[in-house]
Amino acid sequence: MKKIFKIAGSIILILIISIAAFLYFTSKPLPVGQEGTKAEALTDKIQTAINQKAWDTTTVVSFTFRGNHHYLWDKKRNLVQVKWDDKKVLYNNKTLEGVAYENDKKLNNSQKTDAIKKANDYFNNDSFWLIAPFKLRDAGTTRSIVMQDNQEALIVTYASGGSTPGDSYVWLVDENYMPKAWRMWVSIIPIGGLETSWEDWKTFPNNLKIATSHKGLLDLKLENVKTAQSIEEINNGQDPFTDL
């Protein structure tokens, strides 16, 4: 028995050392960029390519993230509906006030608070994979330009906002300034510089461009993406937020 424990301990130690070595040799430091007019000019070109103005005037978005998180988002009213498993949460993503259901039964007190918090954490993460290119100039961001793979790239750092402030992303763009990938330096991933693609760009009303697929360490898909100017347009003529 002692021999078995000794072998198991050795295997665990080898795994720990291997993981530590992988992280050490794979992780890269965040490159140092230069803020100023060049960075802002590159930001302008990216925003033109994806049609930032169309996004800013879009009122409602719906989408499914990785097949099991379903969202209906009224940007104008700051209202979000999140469905997953047997849960449904409708809330204001500025005040975090709302209602929550489990198996269509209304939750109260701490259960409701916990459900709204989880829904908001899901929303902050999942929606970022949909709309990050439209958040290059959010309040609390800084932008700088850096050379990556012999071309100019844009570093965007978030000093505040979302569930994980302080994260940085290096955007790589194609010849038309459409984002094709980013490299991440984020608190929830121990490997600095991990790259994930932005692809399968779809065109929505007013020539709005949204990427619906990401490939990297994990492959992520955004399905059932719709945009509109009212909830009723993409929700069978119903407004689910009347109870709020």
Side-chain angles (χ1 to χ4, degrees):
M1 184 64 71
K2 288 183 179 179
K3 187 175 182 180
I4 293 174
F5 281 127
K6 189 174 182 180
I7 293 172
S10 298
I11 292 172
I12 292 172
L13 180 61
I14 290 171
L15 287 173
I16 292 172
I17 293 172
S18 298
I19 292 171
F22 174 77
L23 294 177
Y24 177 81
F25 288 108
T26 305
S27 188
K28 301 174 183 177
L30 177 66
V32 178
Q34 183 175 355
E35 296 181 34
T37 55
K38 284 188 175 182
E40 298 308 316
L42 180 53
T43 304
D44 288 341
K45 291 174 181 177
I46 295 172
Q47 290 186 329
T48 298
I50 60 177
N51 202 343
Q52 179 80 38
K53 291 182 179 179
W55 171 255
D56 292 341
T57 57
T58 295
T59 302
V60 179
V61 184
S62 65
F63 66 99
T64 297
F65 183 77
R66 299 190 72 182
N68 58 358
H69 291 177
H70 309 280
Y71 295 93
L72 185 61
W73 176 21
D74 189 317
K75 292 170 54 192
K76 186 175 181 179
R77 294 186 291 173
N78 300 315
L79 300 177
V80 184
Q81 174 183 274
V82 188
K83 293 182 179 180
W84 76 96
D85 300 333
D86 55 1
K87 300 282 199 313
K88 180 173 75 170
V89 176
L90 301 98
Y91 72 105
N92 184 303
N93 67 320
K94 298 300 182 183
T95 65
L96 297 188
E97 294 181 354
V99 294
Y101 302 86
E102 183 175 357
N103 291 319
D104 295 324
K105 182 180 179 181
K106 198 170 186 178
L107 300 177
N108 295 307
N109 304 322
S110 62
Q111 287 183 318
K112 181 186 79 168
T113 301
D114 291 344
I116 291 175
K117 182 183 183 305
K118 179 170 282 190
N120 191 57
D121 286 343
Y122 284 157
F123 175 69
N124 284 339
N125 176 79
D126 300 353
S127 66
F128 200 63
W129 287 98
L130 182 83
I131 65 168
F134 303 106
K135 297 173 68 64
L136 305 182
R137 284 194 167 110
D138 273 13
T141 57
T142 56
R143 289 156 300 284
S144 57
I145 199 164
V146 68
M147 294 300 295
Q148 294 277 284
D149 303 337
N150 297 316
Q151 69 174 84
E152 291 182 337
L154 182 70
I155 304 177
V156 179
T157 299
Y158 292 83
S160 61
S163 297
T164 56
D167 295 343
S168 293
Y169 303 83
V170 175
W171 287 97
L172 310 177
V173 298
D174 66 15
E175 64 277 7
N176 297 314
Y177 299 100
M178 290 290 293
K180 62 181 182 181
W182 67 9
R183 292 172 181 161
M184 299 176 283
W185 281 262
V186 297
S187 59
I188 62 172
I189 300 177
I191 304 173
L194 193 65
E195 182 172 321
T196 303
S197 70
W198 283 71
E199 54 187 277
D200 292 336
W201 288 87
K202 308 296 184 186
T203 302
F204 294 86
N206 298 322
N207 203 35
L208 173 65
K209 310 289 186 182
I210 296 177
T212 60
S213 178
H214 309 283
K215 294 178 181 177
L217 187 61
L218 294 175
D219 291 350
L220 306 174
K221 278 193 173 295
L222 296 115
E223 301 169 306
N224 307 314
V225 181
K226 299 177 183 178
T227 67
Q229 298 305 319
S230 73
I231 283 286
E232 290 81 2
E233 285 182 60
I234 57 176
N235 195 51
N236 299 318
Q238 302 295 316
D239 181 354
F241 300 111
T242 53
D243 290 340
L244 295 183

